[in-house]
């Protein structure tokens, strides 16, 4: 019996040794991490093509066994050097590595708290659990991973000048169209929450309940008017992409852009229609966007992409009728979010990986 017990113990020890040996590195192991944040580019106010959003603060990597490592100082600098990488001696197997930086966006993060943040340094980034590549250097097993963190939000930039168009006889009913406010409506308040619709068929303009979110509403002040129209300054917003189970439903689709405009008509147009003097404060609600095909952005804006809406592209839709008066089919309405089922179809012309110029294409797309 004694010998049987000793034999059993020996067999257990051998089995345990075999299991451990299978899952452990040969002798020593090194974890090598590189952070490739060079693709996080943006255009902004006033960001330039090629600007980068980089991992700057609260940079935390998490291994598949739950180990967390904070990168800062020289360690962070090494990780961002793709020829070098951050290296750490370890004594366990690594399968995947994930990362968060510049803060964390979770299910309770309200999109309003992100507005106005510096896109280069303050927008939270995350890289999902990424498999490592295993190699050997001498007697060491090396686990190497290159992380490519991405933002969880899209960015929408609005700026430019709307100009009324003359008719075939070169008669223009519009003297000036000035954008006074830009507001985003029907957006996701949290990444997995409900859509926030402050204005629903907003009688009396923005005087609606609930009140407008200040963070999503830009007043184009007189001092900024010229820069806004020249696109030197933009009304910029961060937006969560649509939830996985959300489907686009006309006429609301997803994120809306509401413009409050002041229209100055020509004396000739007012003479033809004196009621125009009571139609100077108007609204334009853009509820649908597109890139090249009418449905290609019905799925909403994508995280990590900047969508740029040049308001000059709306100019073609402010027409003067053959009678010298504003065309009644123009996209302006007396109130935002009207219920008549019409949407603006907005084209998006892509630039680099994140920048896409937006220009509208009227095809029953204005919400009226």
């Amino acid at each position: 019996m004694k010998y049987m017990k000793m034999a059993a113990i020996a067999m257990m020890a051998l089995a345990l040794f075999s299991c451990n040996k299978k899952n452990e590195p040969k002798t020593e192991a090194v974890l090598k991490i590189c952070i490739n944040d060079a693709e996080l580019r943006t255009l902004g106010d006033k960001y330039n093509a090629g600007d980068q959003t980089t991992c700057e603060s609260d940079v935390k990597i998490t291994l598949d066994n739950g180990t967390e490592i904070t990168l800062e100082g020289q360690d962070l600098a090494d990780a961002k050097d793709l020829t070098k990488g951050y290296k750490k001696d370890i004594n366990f197997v690594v399968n995947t590595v994930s990362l968060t930086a510049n803060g964390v966006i979770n299910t309770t993060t309200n999109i309003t708290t992100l507005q106005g943040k510096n896109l280069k340094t303050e927008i939270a980034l995350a890289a999902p659990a990424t498999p490592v590549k295993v190699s050997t250097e001498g007697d060491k097993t090396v686990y190497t991973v290159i992380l490519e963190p991405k933002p969880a939000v899209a960015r929408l930039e609005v700026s430019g000048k709307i100009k009324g168009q003359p008719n075939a006889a070169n008669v223009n009913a519009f003297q000036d169209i000035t954008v006074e406010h830009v507001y985003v409506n029907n957006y996701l308040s949290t990444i997995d929450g409900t859509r926030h619709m402050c204005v629903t068929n907003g009688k009396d303009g923005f005087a609606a309940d609930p009140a407008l979110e200040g963070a999503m509403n830009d007043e184009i002040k007189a001092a900024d008017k010229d820069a806004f129209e020249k696109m030197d300054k933009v009304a910029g917003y961060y937006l969560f992409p649509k939830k996985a189970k959300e489907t686009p439903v006309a006429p609301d689709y997803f994120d809306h852009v509401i413009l409050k405009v002041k229209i100055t008509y020509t004396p000739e147009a007012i003479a033809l229609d004196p009621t125009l003097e009571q139609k100077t404060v108007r609204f334009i609600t853009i509820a649908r966007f597109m890139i090249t095909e009418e449905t290609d952005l019905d799925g909403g804006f994508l995280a990590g992409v900047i969508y740029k809406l040049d308001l000059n592209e709306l100019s073609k839709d402010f027409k003067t009728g053959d009678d010298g008066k504003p065309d009644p089919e123009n996209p302006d309405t007396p109130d935002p979010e009207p219920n008549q089922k019409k949407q603006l179809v907005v084209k998006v012309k892509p630039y680099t990986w994140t920048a896409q110029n937006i220009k509208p294409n009227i095809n029953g797309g204005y919400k009226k």
Side-chain angles (χ1 to χ4, degrees):
M1 181 65 70
K2 179 178 180 181
Y3 292 110
M4 291 179 64
K5 289 182 177 180
M6 292 176 63
I9 293 172
M11 290 295 291
M12 290 175 64
L14 180 60
L16 181 61
F17 174 77
S18 298
C19 291
N20 287 342
K21 186 175 181 180
K22 181 180 179 180
N23 291 319
E24 290 294 330
K26 295 176 181 179
T27 52
E28 296 181 59
V30 175
L31 174 64
K32 181 179 178 181
I33 294 174
C34 295
I35 300 174
N36 182 12
D37 54 14
E39 292 190 7
L40 299 174
R41 303 166 190 260
T42 181
L43 301 174
D45 177 33
K46 180 73 172 177
Y47 298 106
N48 298 310
D51 286 346
Q52 299 177 358
T53 303
T54 58
C55 298
E56 295 293 330
S57 61
D58 302 318
V59 183
K60 181 184 294 184
I61 57 175
T62 304
L63 313 184
D64 57 285
N65 67 358
T67 300
E68 293 184 347
I69 302 171
T70 298
L71 297 180
E72 54 189 4
Q74 189 59 48
D75 290 340
L76 179 57
D78 289 345
K80 293 164 75 170
D81 182 347
L82 298 184
T83 62
K84 186 176 183 180
Y86 162 76
K87 296 179 181 179
K88 179 179 177 62
D89 291 333
I90 55 175
N91 58 4
F92 50 85
V93 173
V94 177
N95 296 300
T96 63
V97 181
S98 61
L99 173 146
T100 58
N102 304 344
V104 176
I105 291 179
N106 54 41
T107 56
T108 63
T109 303
N110 195 299
I111 195 68
T112 58
T113 65
L114 304 182
Q115 307 309 319
K117 286 186 177 293
N118 187 317
L119 200 145
K120 294 183 182 180
T121 59
E122 296 179 324
I123 292 299
L125 305 173
T130 304
V132 301
K133 291 185 177 180
V134 183
S135 61
T136 301
E137 293 182 3
D139 60 352
K140 290 185 177 181
T141 299
V142 180
Y143 302 103
T144 301
V145 64
I146 297 179
L147 301 174
E148 296 187 357
K150 306 290 184 184
V153 293
R155 180 172 170 84
L156 174 65
E157 295 182 352
V158 181
S159 61
K161 174 67 176 175
I162 304 173
K163 299 178 181 178
Q165 300 301 299
N167 61 18
N170 202 32
V171 175
N172 196 332
F174 302 93
Q175 186 169 300
D176 183 66
I177 302 172
T178 296
V179 176
E180 295 186 330
H181 282 261
V182 180
Y183 180 70
V184 177
N185 204 27
N186 200 42
Y187 56 87
L188 285 175
S189 294
T190 58
I191 200 166
D192 198 33
T194 57
R195 291 202 168 267
H196 194 70
M197 193 86 157
C198 281
V199 180
T200 55
N201 200 35
K203 186 179 181 302
D204 300 323
F206 284 161
D209 188 18
L212 293 178
E213 283 282 0
M216 311 301 287
N217 181 23
D218 277 280
E219 178 185 2
I220 314 305
K221 298 180 179 180
D224 297 323
K225 178 178 180 292
D226 188 59
F228 178 81
E229 293 180 348
K230 291 180 178 178
M231 303 183 72
D232 292 331
K233 289 188 176 182
V234 303
Y237 308 93
Y238 299 108
L239 300 168
F240 289 127
K242 81 171 190 68
K243 295 181 291 185
K245 294 183 179 180
E246 281 189 301
T247 55
V249 178
D252 291 328
Y253 295 91
F254 298 119
D255 306 278
H256 297 182
V257 173
I258 301 175
L259 307 174
K260 180 182 179 183
V261 300
K262 181 179 180 181
I263 301 179
T264 304
Y265 303 98
T266 61
E268 292 79 8
I270 294 174
L272 292 168
D273 181 4
T275 66
L276 291 177
E277 292 185 305
Q278 285 75 52
K279 298 178 180 178
T280 58
V281 177
R282 306 289 282 178
F283 295 87
I284 307 165
T285 300
I286 306 171
R288 192 182 185 192
F289 302 84
M290 63 182 287
I291 300 172
T292 55
E293 302 296 332
E294 287 189 7
T295 60
D296 57 13
L297 263 186
D298 283 356
F301 298 135
L302 301 178
V305 179
I306 296 178
Y307 298 92
K308 302 179 75 66
L309 176 58
D310 180 355
L311 297 181
N312 182 61
E313 298 295 344
L314 279 67
S315 298
K316 68 183 187 312
D317 301 323
F318 279 82
K319 304 172 183 176
T320 301
D322 292 338
D323 58 2
K325 297 184 290 187
D327 190 317
E329 293 300 314
N330 287 348
D332 57 298
T333 58
D335 297 301
E337 296 289 358
N339 282 337
Q340 183 180 336
K341 301 198 182 314
K342 262 191 175 180
Q343 303 86 37
L344 169 71
V345 177
V346 178
K347 283 188 175 180
V348 180
K349 181 180 178 182
Y351 271 126
T352 56
W353 81 279
T354 53
Q356 294 191 359
N357 274 351
I358 297 175
K359 57 181 181 179
N361 179 11
I362 182 166
N363 185 15
Y366 287 110
K367 187 175 180 184
K368 297 190 73 175

